[in-house]
């Protein structure tokens, strides 16, 4: 299975073969409707409300946050590990947990906010961008909406945070990239795909202000949609997504989601200086305070199973040179991303998430 996303600067996506559908190979037309967007919100916080009752269900981590819950009869060790994973996720998406601890009721992060703003249909230029994708898909002609290519700025301001004199990156969010691209199919039966990229980068501050800033430094997210069902208002159902979050002091996390084929979500955690989850509960060869530099959490929705893999000090690739190609490399089977299911350090049965089964 091969996934494709249009993006601009992510080593992780490139290593997956998800990058590379830029203007040179998408055949995009010269027209690009992106323009500056400058919006002020009462708050960046997102939660369910009478006007938007399904907000939380559309947030990026909702499925995996709920889905790692151990099934009835699973051990207390599994429940403790699930709680530790959730605590780490909350650092990146600023989530407020529900009373039961199995879900969250509020989030505050640039990706979920942008997704909601786009879906609301209240921003004329974003609607125009999606309308243009629908038009190009209908005509079977490649097209691009790209703020980066038009040097257009997207600025979101939190009015409540401004009034509270909050830290700069709590009150102002800048998005260097919002990008939609329609890539036509290769046959009459293939309607093609729409690819979307979203990039957020925090602003630089003086050293004495750094500790006041939110943990999140940057994110880069890519999504692939089926062009035949892509619409210009509301939430579009994704086929595949990836989102890479980088923090100031908790390393990074990347969530990859497959909604079509394997229906598996994979969370990669790179936090060598922070203890994330105590794998010694499940594997007595692990030290209780171990902080491996690579964790892979795999949630298989159809099988209702979580597996956690870890590695420390292992490179992603190893030399595999030959006389014909001495510089060739191969995936390192000891690296957490490439370990076989039998090598999982922890595993437990999970509750069902019907919409992902």
């Amino acid at each position: 299975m091969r996934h494709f996303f249009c993006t601009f600067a992510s080593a992780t996506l490139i290593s997956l073969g998800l990058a590379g559908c830029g203007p040179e190979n998408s055949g995009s037309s010269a027209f690009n409707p992106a323009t500056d967007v400058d919006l002020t919100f009462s708050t960046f916080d997102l939660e369910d409300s009478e006007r938007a009752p399904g907000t939380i269900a559309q947030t990026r981590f909702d499925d995996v946050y709920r889905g790692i819950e151990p099934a009835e009869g699973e051990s207390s060790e599994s429940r403790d590990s699930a709680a530790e994973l959730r605590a780490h996720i909350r650092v990146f998406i600023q989530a407020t947990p529900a009373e039961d601890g199995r879900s969250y009721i509020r989030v505050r992060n640039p990706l979920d906010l942008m997704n909601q703003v786009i879906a609301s249909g209240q921003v004329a230029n974003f609607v125009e961008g999606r309308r243009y994708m629908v038009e190009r898909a209908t005509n079977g002609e490649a097209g691009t909406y790209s703020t980066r290519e038009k040097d257009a700025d997207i600025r979101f301001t939190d009015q409540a945070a401004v009034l509270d004199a909050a830290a700069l990156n709590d009150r102002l969010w800048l998005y260097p990239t919002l990008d939609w691209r329609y890539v036509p199919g290769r046959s009459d039966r293939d309607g093609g795909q729409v690819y979307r990229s979203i990039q957020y980068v925090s602003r630089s501050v003086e050293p004495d202000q750094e500790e006041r800033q939110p943990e999140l430094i940057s994110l880069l997210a890519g999504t692939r949609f089926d062009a035949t069902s892509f619409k210009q208002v509301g939430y579009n159902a994704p086929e595949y997504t990836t989102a890479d979050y980088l923090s100031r002091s908790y390393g990074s996390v990347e969530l990859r989601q497959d909604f079509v084929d394997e229906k598996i979500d994979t969370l990669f955690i790179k936090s060598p200086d922070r203890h994330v989850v105590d794998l010694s509960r499940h594997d007595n060869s692990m030290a209780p305070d171990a902080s491996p530099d690579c964790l892979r959490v795999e949630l298989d929705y159809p099988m209702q199973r979580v597996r956690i893999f870890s590695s420390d000090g292992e490179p992603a690739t190893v030399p595999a040179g030959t006389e014909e190609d001495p510089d060739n490399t191969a995936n390192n089977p000891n690296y957490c991303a490439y370990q076989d299911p039998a090598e999982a350090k922890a595993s437990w049965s999970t509750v069902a998430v019907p919409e992902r089964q």
Side-chain angles (χ1 to χ4, degrees):
M1 178 179 60
R2 189 179 181 190
H3 305 171
F4 296 89
F5 297 90
C6 290
T7 187
F8 292 91
S10 172
T12 304
L13 297 186
I14 292 171
S15 70
L16 285 170
L18 306 186
C21 41
E24 70 279 2
N25 56 18
S26 67
S28 58
S29 69
F31 182 63
N32 178 355
T35 61
D36 292 346
V37 173
D38 194 342
L39 301 174
T40 298
F41 300 83
S42 59
T43 178
F44 286 160
D45 293 359
L46 298 177
E47 58 187 339
D48 289 345
S49 64
E50 290 186 7
R51 293 182 60 185
T55 297
I56 293 299
Q58 297 292 342
T59 57
R60 185 58 56 94
F61 271 91
D62 180 61
D63 289 349
V64 70
Y65 195 96
R66 293 183 293 115
I68 62 175
E69 176 66 18
E72 185 175 352
E74 282 289 340
S75 67
S76 60
E77 288 80 6
S78 297
R79 300 186 188 283
D80 289 342
S81 294
E84 288 178 338
L85 289 172
R86 288 174 175 140
H88 194 70
I89 290 169
R90 291 198 296 271
V91 170
F92 294 85
I93 63 172
Q94 291 195 59
T96 302
E99 289 186 6
D100 62 10
R102 302 175 184 176
S103 58
Y104 51 77
I105 59 173
R106 185 179 300 107
V107 295
R108 180 186 178 86
N109 66 83
L111 179 56
D112 288 328
L113 179 62
M114 177 61 85
N115 279 335
Q116 190 199 53
V117 171
I118 291 171
S120 72
Q122 299 299 306
V123 181
N125 188 247
F126 295 168
V127 173
E128 173 62 15
R130 295 212 295 179
R131 185 205 63 77
Y132 182 55
M133 292 299 102
V134 172
E135 173 192 290
R136 303 306 285 185
T138 300
N139 296 333
E141 300 172 345
T144 299
Y145 169 108
S146 174
T147 58
R148 183 176 289 270
E149 292 181 11
K150 287 289 288 287
D151 199 24
D153 294 326
I154 298 179
R155 297 165 52 95
F156 289 174
T157 301
D158 183 325
Q159 187 175 45
V162 170
L163 294 175
D164 289 341
L168 174 63
N169 291 296
D170 245 340
R171 64 179 189 264
L172 176 64
W173 289 350
L174 303 180
Y175 298 82
T177 303
L178 174 60
D179 185 293
W180 281 288
R181 298 182 183 229
Y182 167 64
V183 179
R186 298 182 179 181
S187 68
D188 292 339
R189 295 183 180 180
D190 180 1
Q193 289 81 35
V194 173
Y195 303 90
R196 187 190 68 189
S197 296
I198 296 172
Q199 183 186 29
Y200 159 82
V201 178
S202 65
R203 299 190 66 184
S204 299
V205 297
E206 295 298 327
D208 63 348
Q209 293 294 311
E210 288 182 358
E211 291 303 316
R212 295 189 62 215
Q213 305 306 310
E215 273 294 329
L216 188 65
I217 293 176
S218 66
L219 73 85
L220 179 62
T223 307
R224 181 184 120 178
F225 305 96
D226 176 11
T228 61
S229 59
F230 189 81
K231 55 188 180 182
Q232 65 189 55
V233 177
Y235 287 100
N236 279 297
E239 293 185 328
Y240 307 103
T241 73
T242 185
D244 200 338
Y245 304 73
L246 177 65
S247 73
R248 287 190 296 112
S249 51
Y250 286 81
S252 66
V253 298
E254 182 193 359
L255 178 63
R256 305 175 192 173
Q257 296 178 291
D258 176 348
F259 294 87
V260 176
D261 295 320
E262 296 175 353
K263 298 183 179 178
I264 291 175
D265 285 358
T266 306
L267 177 65
F268 290 92
I269 299 173
K270 307 290 181 64
S271 185
D273 299 325
R274 293 273 184 170
H275 176 76
V276 177
V277 59
D278 183 2
L279 293 176
S280 70
R281 299 187 184 106
H282 312 272
D283 183 342
N284 57 20
S285 70
M286 300 285 291
D289 59 351
S291 54
D293 58 22
C294 184
L295 289 171
R296 166 177 141 224
V297 182
E298 192 173 88
L299 173 55
D300 186 325
Y301 292 97
M303 297 301 294
Q304 294 179 223
R305 170 69 55 177
V306 160
R307 295 182 180 89
I308 304 178
F309 305 82
S310 75
S311 63
D312 194 49
E314 293 286 347
T317 60
V318 292
T322 62
E323 289 186 7
E324 294 79 13
D325 188 3
D327 296 325
N328 191 34
T329 60
N331 293 336
N332 179 5
N334 296 319
Y335 184 63
C336 81
Y338 305 122
Q339 292 172 0
D340 292 332
E343 298 179 78
K345 300 294 195 305
S347 179
W348 62 81
S349 297
T350 64
V351 296
V353 180
E355 58 270 30
R356 296 294 301 278
Q357 302 303 118

